[in-house]
Amino acid sequence: MNDQPLRLALIIASTRRGRFGAAIGRWAAGVAAGRPEFAVDVLDLAELHLPADLGGSADAAEFAGRIGDADAILVVTCEYNHGYPASLKLAIDTVRDEWAAKPVAFVSYGGLAGGLRAVEQLRQVLAELHAVTLRDTVSFHSPHDHVDRDGRVTDPALAKSAEAAAHVLFDRLAWWASALRAARTARPYALTG
Ligand SMILES: Cc1cc2nc3c(=O)[nH]c(=O)nc-3n(C[C@H](O)[C@H](O)[C@H](O)COP(=O)(O)O)c2cc1C
């Protein structure tokens, strides 16, 4: 049995200038940092310049390597026009086999729908890559009034409920990450056929 910490890749999906994603990403990374079973690796897509032609670049290779190293992935995503951001699609398509047999969970944010439509679309896309998406999602609905730029939730009731929901999500993500790490080690996942 592998008792090394589970490697959690935390992807901040939005790259827009003035984005709120950095704040939600800080919040998620802060909660994850309090979970001793995870070693957190923040992958901020605004800092990685992935080429649109999906070609090889140092940043593309680095991103693929860090997804390959991960035992679990947490995607922090917003919603644009009822979908997820193009920067995230580019990142997903840049990597292939490294997603396989890995669990993916979501923290979403947006307007009234809290980014949940983006999450539902991501389930379809990630299934094609043999990733396993979790039922649980932490979603922030119109967070701009309740979360500051440092990722502090300023509404005490929301702070408590969001953190409680995140711990349930991390409990289940750890279960899947540990189970799938053991399974991948015991028998490589078959990607062909
Ligand atoms: C181009 C664009 C489209 C948007 N479409 C939606 C939408 O369909 N549903 C929604 O709930 N919020 C929508 N929003 C609001 C965003 O979810 C919100 O501004 C969020 O902060 C965007 O993430 P970001 O600040 O990290 O870029 C949209 C925002 C932009 C800029």
Side-chain angles (χ1 to χ4, degrees):
M1 164 128 176
N2 184 347
D3 55 8
Q4 292 296 305
L6 297 161
R7 289 162 304 191
L8 174 67
L10 190 160
I11 298 175
I12 301 176
S14 77
T15 57
R16 192 177 62 87
R17 191 174 301 127
R19 69 197 169 134
F20 204 65
I24 302 293
R26 273 187 209 107
W27 174 83
V31 182
R35 302 282 308 211
E37 70 269 59
F38 290 116
V40 183
D41 179 24
V42 176
L43 288 160
D44 186 344
L45 298 187
E47 289 171 6
L48 284 165
H49 301 286
L50 301 175
D53 67 357
L54 309 180
S57 76
D59 278 15
E62 182 188 333
F63 183 68
R66 285 162 73 180
I67 295 296
D69 286 344
D71 297 306
I73 295 112
L74 180 69
V75 177
V76 176
T77 187
C78 59
E79 181 173 302
Y80 295 150
N81 297 318
H82 293 198
Y84 55 90
S87 49
L88 181 56
K89 186 67 164 69
L90 178 59
I92 290 170
D93 294 342
T94 294
V95 180
R96 205 180 59 161
D97 297 352
E98 290 84 350
W99 296 109
K102 306 263 174 87
V104 182
F106 305 100
V107 169
S108 69
Y109 61 100
L112 287 178
L116 290 168
R117 286 172 291 223
V119 169
E120 293 310 310
Q121 292 179 6
L122 284 163
R123 296 185 190 287
Q124 294 184 336
V125 172
L126 288 162
E128 174 61 13
L129 291 157
H130 303 262
V132 180
T133 59
L134 266 66
R135 169 190 180 275
D136 305 85
T137 300
V138 179
S139 59
F140 287 95
H141 303 249
S142 304
H144 312 79
D145 301 331
H146 317 292
V147 181
D148 70 19
R149 289 270 166 184
D150 292 325
R152 273 187 299 263
V153 183
T154 51
D155 172 340
L158 180 62
K160 200 171 162 198
S161 63
E163 199 163 322
H167 283 298
V168 172
L169 180 146
F170 282 130
D171 287 345
R172 294 190 172 133
L173 187 58
W175 188 94
W176 279 103
S178 169
L180 291 179
R181 178 168 71 180
R184 288 193 308 275
T185 305
R187 188 151 69 104
Y189 183 78
L191 276 164
T192 52

